[in-house]
Amino acid sequence: MDALDDAQRRAVLQLREITNGSDDEVAVSVLSSVDWDVQRAAELIFGTSSTSAAPLPSSSRSHAVQTFDIDDSRQGEPDLPVRQRQPSSYLSLARPLWPFIAFPLHVLSSLFRFIFGVLHIPIPQLRFSSLNFYRPLRPRPSSRGGPDRWLRELEEETGAISIGRSKLPRGTTSSLLMDPGQSSLTSRSYVTNGPFDDGRKYLPDFTICSYEDMLRTCQREAKIGCVILVSEEHDDVAEFKRSTLTDPAFVKTLYENDIIVWGGDVRDQEAWSASEKLQATTYPFVAFLALQPRRNPSSSSSRNASPPSLTVLSRHQGKSVPSSGPTSAQTLVDHLERQLLPRVTPFLGRIIAAQRERERDRHLREEQDRAFQNTAKRDKERIEAKMAEERAQLEAKRMAEEEARLASQRRAREAEIARQKESDRMAWRRWTRRAIVNTPPGDAGQGSLRIAIRLPSGGRIVQSFAQSASLTSLYALVDAHFIPPQFTAADDPFALPEQSSTGEMALEDHILNQAEEYWGFRVASAYPRMEIPWKRGVKLSEIDQLKGGGQVVVELIDGRRRAAEREQIEYAEEDDGYHTEDSE
């Protein structure tokens, strides 16, 4: 031992604690064969791994053991001394032959265990493999299924069932949703006269999860945790399972106070890791842990600021019989009711109250944020609707203005076209007055036709036409009287740019080229009233109503021009002095 360094000495001490005090020379030889790996050395001694397995990484060999704050000030019950076992040289020599000798006994034991397990009859622990007489030919893996499989085996071995499987599973009620005046540690009072009166045996409500998850649950929900570790290599485990784990008072106390129970066999990887962190040396092993304030704050202000830490409240290991044993049901129940619960419950109650307060604040903030978001959403929708309405009004106004502008432009263009047409029409009218009306035909004095014309303004004119005069000359005379007085006859044009011929022929060609009505008025006989439409090449003497002269009436077609032209024409004659040939 003197030649070993500090790390090797710690490895020897850990291996001795795991194997309940094996010889130092044997421990050193086993550790040196596995490169000082405590885990592989323990698996090699307990026969759960082959020597040909690949070595673990150096990081796993030198992993840091998780530590907890240990509070054993009020426990008052010293641990039993660790029983030292001296290895036997005869057992080492006969070990290769024992598997073949114990194999029939192991098969018989398994058969009886199966039959009694199906019938739910508790039987003593007769597993010959626990005496190391029998080792399977193929090495077993380090993980045998975890807490779930261990619980099923425990139920088969004790003939009891987990109370959590017969009633509500753990976690259906949260401590954060309870009434503010109640404590989560007394939330299961309904079990008092419930499942314990049906004559069946019950186990604690074991949590099926990993050890780390159990610790996180205790820390998150501010609950007390109970860790139960056993080892089939110890003779006291079977009695602990039958007497303590199925004791109604112990199960009832754990269940009523909502204590999270986790357990396992150290032959499993998860339970072995938990035993390393809790520094368990003797089995069965029971530990209680919960959140507690930190012990050595620098000041009172730091005590209020520092969060509580998960602390090991007490550890119990050793025999469960007699009733005063460290792991007996009576000892554990008395410890819970007289020491642990009165000391831990008030602090956990304050933590739960603070959690409820934070939860209410969180809900209140969520409701306020939700109300703010809804209000902001409604305001946004209202603003967007108002903006959309304003945009629609602006667009309608813009479209109305655009339509008005286009209509104004259209009216201006129409007015310009009308003015241009009127200007052209006035130019032809003035040319007609010079070229046709004011130029009498050569036979105007021979058998002329006297025609009285009543204008739309009410005035009358009498005009003598030659026998050869055409209907165009009559229409040209009437049309010339629509020329405003500011246009004098002396200023009338002699010719027009678009004129292709002279005289009445030029006027008739121009009229035929027009798409619309050219004259803008009608000529009709006075009595009987018959319209005399304009036709090209028709003489006045050929018209029945005008043979020998007559009286005609002029009517405007376009009523809108009537008022304007009524003011422009001067009518000087009131009596035409008309005399027919018959009257003479």
Side-chain angles (χ1 to χ4, degrees):
M1 292 289 291
D2 297 336
L4 303 179
D5 55 14
D6 294 339
Q8 293 173 348
R9 290 194 186 94
R10 286 196 299 270
V12 172
L13 292 177
Q14 291 179 8
L15 184 60
R16 287 188 58 188
E17 291 176 355
I18 294 174
T19 58
N20 291 332
S22 62
D23 187 63
D24 291 343
E25 295 181 359
V26 176
V28 170
S29 62
V30 174
L31 287 171
S32 61
S33 64
V34 294
D35 197 14
W36 296 94
D37 188 346
V38 178
Q39 180 179 353
R40 293 187 59 205
E43 292 174 352
L44 183 62
I45 292 176
F46 292 122
T48 57
S49 177
S50 62
T51 57
S52 60
L56 297 176
S58 59
S59 60
S60 65
R61 293 195 301 267
S62 60
H63 66 282
V65 178
Q66 179 179 355
T67 60
F68 295 90
D69 294 337
I70 300 176
D71 185 7
D72 291 339
S73 59
R74 296 190 182 184
Q75 183 174 355
E77 296 177 0
D79 295 338
L80 294 178
V82 179
R83 182 173 54 190
Q84 302 292 336
R85 292 183 179 180
Q86 297 296 333
S88 176
S89 59
Y90 297 103
L91 290 177
S92 301
L93 295 176
R95 185 182 296 274
L97 299 177
W98 286 344
F100 300 97
I101 298 174
F103 181 75
L105 297 178
H106 179 76
V107 174
L108 184 62
S109 173
S110 300
L111 179 60
F112 276 102
R113 282 175 47 79
F114 175 74
I115 295 174
F116 280 83
V118 172
L119 298 177
H120 292 283
I121 299 176
I123 59 174
Q125 178 71 17
L126 297 176
R127 187 175 298 176
F128 291 97
S129 61
S130 64
L131 301 177
N132 289 334
F133 288 148
Y134 170 73
R135 294 297 180 188
L137 298 179
R138 180 176 299 176
R140 291 175 294 177
S142 59
S143 178
R144 303 184 307 116
D148 190 14
R149 179 175 177 178
W150 178 78
L151 180 58
R152 290 197 302 268
E153 292 177 352
L154 182 61
E155 290 178 343
E156 293 177 0
E157 182 178 347
T158 59
I161 62 173
S162 175
I163 191 173
R165 297 190 181 185
S166 62
K167 291 296 181 181
L168 295 176
R170 183 178 298 274
T172 55
T173 58
S174 176
S175 60
L176 300 180
L177 300 179
M178 295 175 57
D179 188 77
Q182 298 179 356
S183 172
S184 63
L185 300 179
T186 59
S187 62
R188 289 185 173 176
S189 58
Y190 66 91
V191 187
T192 303
N193 297 320
F196 297 100
D197 296 339
D198 58 0
R200 302 180 64 181
K201 293 199 301 183
Y202 291 95
L203 293 170
D205 187 7
F206 285 96
T207 300
I208 307 302
C209 64
S210 66
Y211 176 69
E212 297 295 335
D213 291 339
M214 188 273 295
L215 295 180
R216 283 191 288 267
T217 303
C218 293
Q219 189 170 11
R220 181 178 63 252
E221 299 183 5
K223 294 182 179 180
I224 301 175
C226 176
V227 180
I228 299 175
L229 299 176
V230 297
S231 174
E232 296 299 334
E233 304 296 333
H234 290 256
D235 299 333
D236 301 329
V237 170
E239 183 62 29
F240 172 77
K241 293 179 180 178
R242 289 192 301 269
S243 61
T244 301
L245 295 185
T246 60
D247 183 78
F250 178 64
V251 175
K252 177 182 176 182
T253 302
L254 295 177
Y255 197 72
E256 284 184 348
N257 293 281
D258 201 11
I259 297 177
I260 300 176
V261 184
W262 185 89
D265 194 326
V266 293
R267 294 180 300 172
D268 298 333
Q269 179 67 33
E270 191 71 27
W272 184 86
S273 176
S275 67
E276 286 289 303
K277 296 173 182 178
L278 294 173
Q279 299 179 3
T281 58
T282 304
Y283 302 97
F285 176 87
V286 180
F288 295 97
L289 48 90
L291 288 175
Q292 288 292 283
R294 298 186 183 274
R295 286 197 165 190
N296 51 353
S298 58
S299 62
S300 60
S301 60
S302 62
R303 182 184 297 110
N304 297 330
S306 60
S309 62
L310 201 60
T311 305
V312 177
L313 303 175
S314 62
R315 296 189 302 170
H316 311 264
Q317 51 190 356
K319 292 183 178 182
S320 60
V321 290
S323 60
S324 60
T327 59
S328 65
Q330 182 178 353
T331 301
L332 296 176
V333 171
D334 291 343
H335 173 70
L336 286 172
E337 293 180 350
R338 297 180 182 180
Q339 299 183 28
L340 193 143
L341 291 176
R343 179 160 53 97
V344 176
T345 302
F347 179 73
L348 295 181
R350 291 194 297 269
I351 294 179
I352 293 173
Q355 289 178 347
R356 288 198 302 265
E357 187 68 25
R358 288 194 297 269
E359 189 71 12
R360 284 194 295 267
D361 293 342
R362 185 179 63 85
H363 286 307
L364 180 60
R365 286 194 300 270
E366 289 179 353
E367 292 177 359
Q368 292 175 348
D369 293 342
R370 187 161 49 251
F372 176 76
Q373 292 175 0
N374 294 336
T375 303
K377 182 179 179 181
R378 289 194 297 269
D379 293 342
K380 182 180 179 182
E381 292 176 352
R382 185 166 56 252
I383 293 174
E384 290 179 350
K386 183 65 176 177
M387 293 176 62
E389 182 181 359
E390 292 178 355
R391 286 195 299 268
Q393 292 177 357
L394 292 176
E395 183 66 17
K397 182 179 179 181
R398 186 189 65 80
M399 293 181 65
E401 292 177 353
E402 182 68 16
E403 185 177 355
R405 185 181 64 82
L406 294 177
S408 176
Q409 293 179 355
R410 183 171 60 254
R411 288 192 299 269
R413 287 195 301 269
E414 291 175 355
E416 182 65 23
I417 293 174
R419 285 193 298 269
Q420 185 64 33
K421 288 183 179 180
E422 187 64 24
S423 177
D424 295 343
R425 182 72 174 83
M426 186 60 65
W428 276 94
R429 188 176 289 151
R430 294 178 63 190
W431 176 84
T432 301
R433 184 173 62 178
R434 174 180 288 276
I436 299 175
V437 176
N438 294 336
T439 304
D443 55 351
Q446 300 177 3
S448 60
L449 298 174
R450 291 175 60 84
I451 300 176
I453 304 171
R454 182 177 293 277
L455 297 175
S457 60
R460 288 183 177 183
I461 57 175
V462 178
Q463 183 70 25
S464 298
F465 295 91
Q467 291 291 336
S468 60
S470 64
L471 186 58
T472 302
S473 61
L474 175 61
Y475 270 80
L477 175 64
V478 175
D479 192 41
H481 282 79
F482 290 110
I483 300 175
Q486 62 267 25
F487 298 107
T488 60
D491 298 331
D492 291 343
F494 292 93
L496 296 175
E498 61 271 18
Q499 182 179 350
S500 58
S501 57
T502 59
E504 293 183 2
M505 185 176 295
L507 179 60
E508 291 174 351
D509 292 339
H510 177 69
I511 293 173
L512 293 177
N513 291 331
Q514 298 298 313
E516 300 176 355
E517 172 67 25
Y518 176 77
W519 299 106
F521 57 85
R522 300 187 187 94
V523 177
S525 60
Y527 185 84
R529 189 176 181 83
M530 293 182 64
E531 183 179 354
I532 304 175
W534 176 86
K535 293 181 180 179
R536 183 176 185 176
V538 177
K539 295 181 180 182
L540 294 175
S541 59
E542 297 176 353
I543 299 174
D544 295 339
Q545 293 87 347
L546 299 179
K547 288 181 178 180
Q551 186 175 358
V552 296
V553 179
V554 178
E555 296 177 352
L556 292 175
I557 296 177
D558 189 358
R560 291 175 298 179
R561 287 171 41 191
R562 182 180 306 170
E565 294 180 349
R566 183 181 298 124
E567 298 176 357
Q568 299 173 359
I569 302 176
E570 296 179 354
Y571 300 98
E573 284 185 68
E574 293 296 335
D575 188 11
D576 57 356
Y578 178 78
H579 299 281
T580 63
E581 295 178 355
D582 295 337
S583 61
E584 294 177 355

